[in-house]
């Protein structure tokens, strides 16, 4: 049961991530490869605050969101100038720089040591120690974020960002300052990623920079692309599939020396085949 | 003073590796107009082919190197036929092509890992056998001189092809507009195929040279490609000389940059430079 | 079309859950005489060769076992040194397999496993340098603490009258931990760190760092890197014309390119017995890898503790037994469990001689 609850927690955290990234990639059509940077900022905010102070998990989530909003504002100011593959490349550049800071700014982040002994959340004296109770808390956050994202994409704001994706030039002619819309959705997405980061840090109780390298951004991006661009259920499906695949292989008993490599072969082929035959992903509504 | 000369040499060595990558990458970008990440896998293909032929089978080095270069070229051509041609027929966006090329990289590096394991290997023999030259108080090894020479030769060869042959003129025409080229009777699909063969062979050569200079791993190409892309953006994407100048510039800045700052910030310097260029001079040094 | 997809997905999820539930055997159903040891190590990915070494060493220990009172089962789970996969592997081993003992590799993984083990009251032995991994009643470390290695290292420097030390440190947990310990130990001595360079783990071009390392004219360079950065550094230092002696803490013991470091002394966490080295080498065809002798010892330590128990021990009995271990004869020499639940082995000064590591008497 603890194992299933664990998988539930991990999936929920990564659904938060893929769902938030979907706002940028699927709904706005910007191929962002810097998402774990904000995941990491949330995680480090919670880790530092819970080990150094006693302000509690929920306050740390808020601090994490603020930190992510601030940094995504600065990064987004620059990124919003770009589109298409230049956007992807510049955002990857930011991820590499942020990772470099996590790894090398030892006085703040602990550098390669990471931060251990992070507490589980506590609410009115109840500590979410067991996996099942933590799962319940994570699901509440997930549902809240789901409705937030649902609300955003169906609002008038959401219609504008989808229009940016479909034809940015036309929108600019109509007088929309598309930069601001791109920046705003990027910040919202970053804030949501920070929430996921806080849950991750508090659940695993240990974080180090390896969880926030640029390859992890690609990992989350592939969840969105696999499950479905511009569809939240699709993003959830993509996250669940990619998290469960290696767990499933634990029980299949593939010769372990080639298991990871085989997994990567399957995963790479999947990306290629999807791009040729179904560029919007399983459930997606928008073709990359 | 000595250290300045040595840093300049180090910058030129690193820069000429980036230059080779940028030259090959620019060929593919110049015709297909998307960021081909699959290119990075071909770097490893070259390195491992030589490792297999010379270290495991015992073929003489020159033959192994020749076959390694050609193998990478053929692999690039096959990828073009199997993946990029169908994608381009379906009018896939360059983001879809980018994601598919990520799939290609994932598959190839995993397959190499299955056959050769992911452990680091080197192609060169013991250090003492290697000739070390001294220039103005700095030192440089024979393989590094070869790397410098190769990048110059490849640059001039490409420049000559572009300027004086009909093949080169067709490439430039396709770079300007593929549609128009088709109308004037250029077999664009065949020309792009040849271009990719040449570009991929250059990638293979990079893998071999780096394999002799430091060593090979299945994922070695990825960071090299990123640096090559940064270099071509700095120089001006799609421009032969631009890529080389950008690469030398990047190599020198990286190495001068860590003269007084600690070495671990090297990647942050490189990608910071990229973002600066993208923001202030997205057309690069050389483009009008 | 869309509903079909959703039904398909729900069916797949249910299948997975049912499958896992079928595998689920709760710990109290475990066979009476069977002790299960779960190992979390990187068996795939870039660091797989390290996890393979741990696995081979533990399987070797199990094969060498004679007649025993209890049966022992080893279950290996892969984590690629990725914290989220470490948590998955640990939860799976506890929940599905019902292991009595957990073994983890690296400080990062140890830090993830330790709190889970403590909460579930399962013995956990980490091959890790970070002392936090041993926090709690059930957690142990089998790794010579950085402070011990630093002590022996500094004593050797003093013995050799070396006063100017250069250090090259990759930004990796294990390396920085030992580097910090060395710095702490040097306080109050006449030895000065005249040059310290930090390099990026995973990089291959250290030339500029190597050139900067010449400043201050060190008498010896202490390299903290392991494979492959160690070998690349060794080469690039030679290429840069550096003839100053090199030294390391542990790394020279484990390199496959020993000719790069011929004639150099270094400090090793312990003096691995020749029997272990030979057995490991004939089994795998390779030199021992980082942590392999520790893994070998951990298996034998657990066996020695459980064999002493008249009734099938609970994890609590095993933990209590481990705390009393003294003078255990292991692959890393004479082992005792110290105060902080850290299994100590005395560090040794060794030298690469004709391509073989030997202890300097």
């Amino acid at each position: 049961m603890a194992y299933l609850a664990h998988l539930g927690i991990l999936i929920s955290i990564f659904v938060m991530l893929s769902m938030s990234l979907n706002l940028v990639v699927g709904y706005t059509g910007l191929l962002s490869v810097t998402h774990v940077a904000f995941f990491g900022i949330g995680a480090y905010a919670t880790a530092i605050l819970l080990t150094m102070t006693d302000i509690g998990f929920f306050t740390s989530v808020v601090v994490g969101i603020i930190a992510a909003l601030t940094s995504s504002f600065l990064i987004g100011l620059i990124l919003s100038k770009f589109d298409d593959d230049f956007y992807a490349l510049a955002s990857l550049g930011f991820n590499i720089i942020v990772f470099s800071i996590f790894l090398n700014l030892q006085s703040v982040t602990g550098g390669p040591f990471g931060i251990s002994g992070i507490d589980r959340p506590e609410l009115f004296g109840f500590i979410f120690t067991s996996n099942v109770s933590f799962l319940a808390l994570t699901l509440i956050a997930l549902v809240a974020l789901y409705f937030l994202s649902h609300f955003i994409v169906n609002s008038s704001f959401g219609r504008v960002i989808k229009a940016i994706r479909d034809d940015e030039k036309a929108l600019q002619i109509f007088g929309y300052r598309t930069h601001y819309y791109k920046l705003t959705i990027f910040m919202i997405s970053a804030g949501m990623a920070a929430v996921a980061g806080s849950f991750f840090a508090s659940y695993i109780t240990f974080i180090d920079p390896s969880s926030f390298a640029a390859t992890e951004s690609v990992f989350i991006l592939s969840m969105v692309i696999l499950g479905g661009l511009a569809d939240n259920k699709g993003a959830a499906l993509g996250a669940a599939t990619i998290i469960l695949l290696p767990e499933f292989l634990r029980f299949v008993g593939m010769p372990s020396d080639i298991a990871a490599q085989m997994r990567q072969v399957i995963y790479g082929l999947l990306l290629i085949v999807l791009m040729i035959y179904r560029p919007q992903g399983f459930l997606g509504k928008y073709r990359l | 003073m000595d250290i300045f000369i040595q840093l300049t040499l180090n910058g030129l060595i690193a820069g000429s590796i980036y230059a080779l990558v940028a030259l090959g990458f620019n060929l593919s970008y110049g015709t297909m107009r998307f960021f081909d990440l699959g290119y990075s896998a071909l770097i490893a293909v070259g390195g491992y082919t030589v490792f297999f032929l010379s270290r495991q089978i015992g073929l003489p080095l020159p033959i192994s190197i020749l076959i390694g270069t050609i193998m990478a070229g053929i692999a690039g051509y096959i990828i073009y036929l199997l993946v990029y041609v169908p994608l381009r027929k379906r009018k896939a966006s360059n983001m879809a092509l980018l994601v598919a090329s990520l799939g290609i990289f994932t598959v190839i590096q995993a397959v190499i890992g299955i056959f050769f394991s992911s452990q680091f290997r080197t192609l060169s023999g013991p250090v003492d056998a290697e000739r070390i030259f001294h220039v103005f108080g700095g030192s440089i090894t024979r393989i590094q001189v070869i790397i410098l020479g190769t990048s110059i030769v490849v640059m001039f060869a490409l420049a000559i092809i572009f300027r004086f042959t009909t093949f080169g003129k067709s490439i430039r025409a396709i770079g300007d507009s593929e549609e128009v080229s088709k109308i004037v009777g250029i077999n664009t699909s065949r020309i792009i195929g040849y271009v990719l063969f040449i570009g991929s062979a250059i990638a293979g050569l990079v893998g071999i040279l780096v394999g002799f200079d430091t060593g090979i791993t299945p994922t070695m190409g990825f960071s090299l490609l990123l640096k090559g892309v940064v270099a071509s953006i700095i120089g001006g994407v799609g421009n032969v000389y631009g890529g080389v100048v950008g690469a030398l510039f990047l190599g020198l800045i990286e190495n001068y940059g860590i003269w007084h700052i600690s070495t671990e910030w090297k990647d942050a310097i490189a990608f910071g430079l990229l973002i600066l260029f993208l923001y202030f001079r997205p057309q690069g040094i050389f483009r009008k | 079309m869309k509903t079909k997809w959703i039904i398909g997905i729900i069916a797949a999820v249910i299948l997975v859950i049912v499958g896992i539930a079928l595998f689920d055997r709760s710990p109290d159903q475990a066979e009476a005489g069977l002790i299960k040891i779960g190992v979390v190590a990187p068996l795939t990915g870039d660091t797989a060769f390290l996890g393979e070494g741990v696995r081979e060493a533990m399987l070797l220990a199990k094969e060498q076992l004679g007649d025993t009172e209890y049966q022992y089962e080893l279950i290996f789970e892969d984590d690629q040194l990725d914290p989220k996969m470490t948590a998955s592997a640990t939860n799976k081993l506890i929940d599905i397999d019902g292991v009595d003992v957990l073994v983890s590799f690296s400080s990062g993984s140890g830090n993830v496993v330790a709190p889970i083990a403590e909460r579930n009251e399962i013995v956990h032995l980490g091959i890790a340098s970070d002392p936090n991994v041993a926090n709690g009643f059930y957690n142990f470390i089998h790794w010579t603490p950085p402070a011990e290695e630093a002590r022996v290292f500094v004593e050797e420097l003093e013995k050799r009258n070396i006063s100017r030390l250069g250090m090259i440190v990759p930004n990796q947990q294990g390396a920085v931990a030992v580097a910090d310990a060395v710095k702490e130990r040097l306080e109050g001595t006449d030895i000065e760190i005249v040059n310290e360079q930090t390099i990026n783990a995973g990089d291959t071009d250290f030339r500029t760092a190597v050139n900067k390392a010449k400043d201050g004219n060190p008498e010896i360079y202490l390299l903290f890197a392991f494979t492959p950065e160690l070998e690349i550094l060794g080469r690039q230092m030679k290429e840069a014309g550096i003839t100053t002696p090199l030294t390391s803490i542990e790394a020279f013991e484990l390199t496959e390119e020993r000719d790069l470091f011929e004639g150099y002394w270094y400090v090793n966490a312990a003096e691995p017995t020749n029997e272990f080295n030979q057995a490991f080498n004939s089994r795998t065809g390779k030199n021992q890898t980082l942590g392999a002798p520790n893994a070998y010892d951990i298996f034998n330590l657990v066996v020695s503790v459980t064999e002493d128990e008249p009734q099938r021990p609970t994890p609590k009995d095993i933990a209590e037994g481990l705390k009393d271990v003294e003078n255990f004869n292991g692959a890393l020499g004479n082992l005792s469990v110290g105060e902080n639940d850290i299994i100590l082995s005395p560090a040794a000064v060794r030298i690469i001689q004709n391509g073989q590591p030997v202890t300097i008497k």
Side-chain angles (χ1 to χ4, degrees):
Chain A
M1 203 42 208
Y3 177 54
L4 287 182
H6 159 80
L7 292 180
I9 295 165
L10 217 53
I11 291 171
S12 306
I13 290 172
F14 278 86
V15 172
M16 291 183 207
L17 281 172
S18 63
M19 216 166 60
S20 58
L21 183 61
N22 208 359
L23 289 176
V24 176
V25 180
Y27 289 102
T28 323
L30 301 167
L31 197 62
S32 163
V33 199
T34 189
H35 210 54
V36 289
F38 307 114
F39 179 54
I41 286 168
Y44 272 105
T46 291
I48 293 167
L49 290 172
L50 290 193
T51 48
M52 310 277 239
T53 69
D54 48 4
I55 65 167
F57 173 76
F58 296 95
T59 325
S60 82
V61 174
V62 177
V63 176
I65 294 174
I66 294 170
L69 288 178
T70 319
S71 53
S72 64
F73 173 72
L74 296 174
I75 294 175
L77 269 185
I78 299 174
L79 276 185
S80 300
K81 247 191 94 171
F82 311 124
D83 46 22
D84 285 356
D85 27 21
F86 280 85
Y87 191 97
L89 187 64
S91 61
L92 176 73
F94 276 115
N95 200 142
I96 289 171
I97 292 170
V98 172
F99 172 76
S100 206
I101 293 171
F102 287 155
L103 182 61
N104 296 322
L105 208 63
Q106 206 177 327
S107 53
V108 181
T109 63
F113 291 104
I115 297 173
S116 64
I118 306 163
D119 290 333
R120 288 283 172 90
E122 188 183 338
L123 194 64
F124 308 122
F126 177 77
I127 304 171
F128 294 83
T129 311
S130 78
N131 282 4
V132 176
S133 63
F134 196 94
L135 174 63
L137 186 68
T138 321
L139 282 176
I140 293 171
L142 175 62
V143 170
L145 289 184
Y146 178 85
F147 281 110
L148 174 65
S149 135
H150 187 77
F151 170 74
I152 290 169
V153 296
N154 290 307
S155 65
S156 58
F157 176 82
R159 281 192 290 278
V160 177
I161 60 166
K162 280 182 257 180
I164 291 178
R165 173 189 76 194
D166 297 332
D167 195 343
E168 187 173 354
K169 289 258 156 47
L171 219 57
Q172 283 168 341
I173 293 165
F174 282 118
Y176 283 94
R177 308 186 77 167
T178 53
H179 276 49
Y180 294 128
Y181 286 90
K182 282 157 88 174
L183 178 59
T184 311
I185 195 69
F186 185 68
M187 286 171 66
I188 294 172
S189 155
M192 286 166 72
V195 176
S198 296
F199 276 88
F200 181 75
S202 179
Y203 174 62
I204 302 283
T205 74
F206 168 78
I207 54 166
D208 71 355
S210 71
S211 299
F212 313 110
T215 45
E216 293 288 305
S217 276
V218 178
F219 181 70
I220 300 167
L221 188 60
S222 58
M223 291 175 176
V224 177
I225 292 170
L226 178 76
L229 290 152
D231 186 285
N232 280 337
K233 291 185 198 74
L237 169 69
T241 313
I242 289 186
I243 293 286
L244 286 180
L245 183 67
E247 295 308 315
F248 188 66
L249 291 178
R250 288 192 199 282
F251 297 93
V252 176
M254 210 186 269
S256 83
D257 48 334
I258 61 162
Q261 262 93 8
M262 282 314 292
R263 197 159 67 224
Q264 297 215 307
V265 171
I266 295 169
Y267 161 70
L269 287 177
L270 203 63
L271 284 184
I272 300 170
V273 171
L274 267 178
M275 283 305 110
I276 298 179
Y277 297 105
R278 206 177 160 77
Q280 65 272 56
F282 289 148
L283 298 178
K285 300 195 174 54
Y286 160 64
R287 293 176 47 140
L288 197 64
Chain B
M1 196 56 207
D2 271 2
I3 188 149
F4 177 75
I5 287 165
Q6 189 62 52
L7 288 192
T8 311
L9 279 176
N10 294 347
L12 290 176
I13 296 160
S16 54
I17 294 173
Y18 302 159
L20 277 173
V21 181
L23 283 169
F25 170 78
N26 267 338
L27 277 179
S28 115
Y29 190 88
T31 48
M32 292 203 296
R33 298 270 158 217
F34 81 95
F35 287 135
D36 181 7
L37 299 179
Y39 189 80
S40 57
L42 301 170
I43 294 179
V45 168
Y48 275 91
T49 308
V50 172
F51 176 76
F52 175 71
L53 293 177
S54 76
R55 281 298 179 91
Q56 295 187 330
I57 290 189
L59 282 187
L61 261 188
I63 297 176
S64 313
I65 292 171
L66 187 69
I67 298 179
T69 313
I70 294 171
M71 267 297 286
I74 293 173
Y77 188 70
I78 293 175
I79 292 168
Y80 170 69
L81 288 185
L82 289 184
V83 183
Y84 298 151
V85 168
L87 270 168
R88 286 161 62 82
K89 269 208 189 105
R90 284 161 198 266
K91 299 260 174 285
S93 69
N94 41 6
M95 283 200 281
L97 281 158
L98 190 146
V99 173
S101 72
L102 177 71
I104 290 166
F105 166 73
T106 314
V107 172
I108 294 183
Q109 61 87 11
V111 171
I112 293 175
I114 290 173
F115 285 106
F116 297 97
S117 100
S118 51
Q119 214 169 335
F120 179 86
R121 324 240 187 194
T122 176
L123 294 179
S124 58
V127 186
D128 304 318
E130 207 142 359
R131 298 263 296 280
I132 296 169
F133 305 109
H134 294 276
V135 198
F136 305 118
S139 58
I140 184 167
T141 63
R142 192 173 54 185
I143 180 72
Q144 290 161 0
V145 175
I146 295 174
I147 290 174
L148 269 170
T150 312
S151 65
I152 294 167
V153 170
V154 171
M155 179 183 82
F156 282 116
L158 287 179
I160 290 168
I161 291 176
F162 271 111
R163 190 166 284 261
F164 298 110
T165 65
T166 33
F167 174 59
K169 282 171 189 153
S170 328
I171 298 174
R172 270 161 54 201
I174 293 172
D176 290 337
S177 167
E178 199 176 337
E179 290 305 309
V180 175
S181 314
K182 265 190 197 145
I183 294 165
V184 298
I186 299 173
N187 185 343
T188 54
S189 173
R190 212 182 63 201
I191 298 277
I192 294 177
Y194 292 157
V195 169
L196 284 195
F197 175 85
I198 297 171
S200 309
I202 296 175
L205 200 56
V206 171
I208 297 165
L209 291 170
V210 170
F212 278 103
D213 185 34
T214 50
I216 51 177
T217 61
T219 51
M220 65 188 285
F222 202 76
S223 53
L224 283 171
L225 175 69
L226 284 183
K227 293 289 171 69
V229 173
V230 173
S232 31
I233 285 175
I234 291 174
V237 148
N239 182 313
V240 175
Y241 299 108
V244 174
V245 172
L248 294 178
F249 184 69
L250 176 66
L252 288 172
I253 291 279
E254 260 186 1
N255 282 286
Y256 291 141
I258 53 177
W259 189 352
H260 292 296
I261 309 174
S262 184
T263 328
E264 74 251 34
W265 295 101
K266 199 163 88 178
D267 283 346
I269 292 172
F271 285 92
L273 195 67
L274 165 77
I275 288 163
L276 277 180
F277 260 89
L278 278 178
Y279 197 74
F280 291 107
R281 200 174 162 77
Q283 70 275 42
I285 301 173
F286 268 77
R287 272 272 191 88
K288 280 135 259 162
Chain C
M1 179 65 195
K2 198 177 153 191
T3 40
K4 258 191 203 165
W5 275 106
I6 294 174
I7 293 169
I9 296 143
I10 294 171
V13 170
I14 291 173
L15 268 180
V16 171
I17 292 172
V18 170
I20 291 171
L22 284 180
F23 274 96
D24 196 346
R25 281 175 296 160
S26 56
D28 47 21
Q29 285 174 316
E31 292 99 299
L34 185 67
I35 309 282
K36 288 184 175 180
I37 302 173
V39 187
V40 182
L43 297 171
T44 60
D46 290 344
T47 45
F49 66 101
L50 296 172
E52 292 293 329
V54 166
R55 178 163 73 178
E56 292 301 319
M58 294 193 88
L59 290 174
L60 176 68
K62 189 174 175 236
E63 271 170 27
Q64 291 176 343
L65 218 55
D67 279 339
T68 49
E69 177 75 28
Y70 304 105
Q71 304 301 305
Y72 298 89
E73 187 185 346
L74 283 166
I75 306 164
F76 296 93
E77 285 297 340
D78 178 26
D79 74 341
Q80 297 186 5
L81 296 187
D82 173 350
K84 61 177 178 293
M85 288 191 65
T86 310
S88 296
T90 312
N91 276 297
K92 186 255 174 188
L93 284 168
I94 294 175
D95 204 28
I96 309 284
D97 300 310
V99 295
D100 304 277
V101 177
L102 282 164
V103 179
S104 73
F105 179 80
S106 93
S107 291
S109 298
N111 269 313
V112 175
V113 178
I116 304 176
E118 190 69 20
R119 202 160 52 235
N120 289 284
E121 301 180 348
I122 306 283
V123 177
H124 164 227
L125 297 108
I127 302 173
S129 63
D130 183 348
N132 286 328
V133 173
N135 284 348
F137 181 82
Y138 289 94
N139 289 310
F140 296 84
I141 288 178
H142 182 20
W143 186 263
T144 304
E148 161 72 5
E149 291 172 321
R151 182 185 65 79
V152 175
F153 179 77
V154 172
E155 274 173 16
E156 188 67 17
L157 285 184
E158 284 173 332
K159 207 192 287 173
R160 289 170 185 263
N161 281 324
I162 294 170
S163 58
R164 292 195 312 281
L165 175 68
M167 304 209 305
I168 300 183
V169 194
N171 49 5
Q172 269 167 329
Q173 188 275 336
V176 182
V178 184
D180 286 352
V182 168
K183 283 183 212 165
E184 200 174 314
R185 191 80 205 177
L186 285 177
E187 274 170 29
T189 66
D190 296 333
I191 304 163
E192 195 192 344
I193 299 172
V194 289
N195 195 304
E196 183 185 353
Q197 299 295 327
T198 308
I199 57 171
N200 262 328
D203 202 349
T204 52
D205 179 357
F206 305 125
R207 283 181 261 271
T208 293
V210 162
N211 280 295
K212 285 166 72 180
K214 287 177 182 168
D215 277 353
N217 203 13
E219 290 168 79
I220 194 164
Y221 287 104
L222 173 54
L223 310 184
F224 289 92
F226 286 98
T227 304
E229 287 88 358
L230 175 76
E231 292 80 7
I232 300 175
L233 259 179
R235 281 173 178 279
Q236 295 185 348
M237 292 182 88
K238 284 207 168 153
E239 286 170 5
I242 291 177
T243 48
T244 314
L246 309 177
T247 181
S248 84
I249 292 180
E250 296 209 41
F252 293 173
E253 184 86 16
L254 306 167
T255 176
E256 295 283 332
E257 289 184 58
R258 284 183 182 148
D259 54 326
L260 279 172
F261 309 105
E262 177 66 32
Y264 295 146
W265 66 270
Y266 63 97
V267 170
N268 200 40
E271 193 182 334
T273 60
N274 280 331
E275 291 81 25
F276 173 75
N277 276 345
Q278 278 156 13
F280 188 86
N281 199 295
S282 67
R283 187 186 164 88
T284 63
K286 283 184 185 173
N287 294 336
Q288 49 155 306
T289 51
L290 193 67
N294 305 68
Y296 179 87
D297 279 350
I298 284 174
F299 182 84
N300 286 326
L301 272 168
V302 170
V303 170
S304 84
V305 167
T306 50
E307 289 296 306
D308 285 347
E309 301 280 340
Q311 304 221 302
R312 186 193 183 283
T314 61
K316 190 166 181 245
D317 299 330
I318 300 174
E320 278 167 354
L322 280 173
K323 287 175 200 286
D324 294 334
V325 168
E326 243 175 86
N327 297 324
F328 178 85
N329 210 356
L332 290 175
N334 193 349
L335 306 175
S336 301
V337 176
E339 259 176 56
N340 314 314
D341 290 350
I342 297 177
I343 301 165
L344 295 170
S345 52
V349 180
R350 317 234 306 159
I351 188 167
I352 303 285
Q353 217 165 58
N354 304 321
Q356 287 304 318
V358 278
T359 301
I360 301 176
K361 292 292 176 208

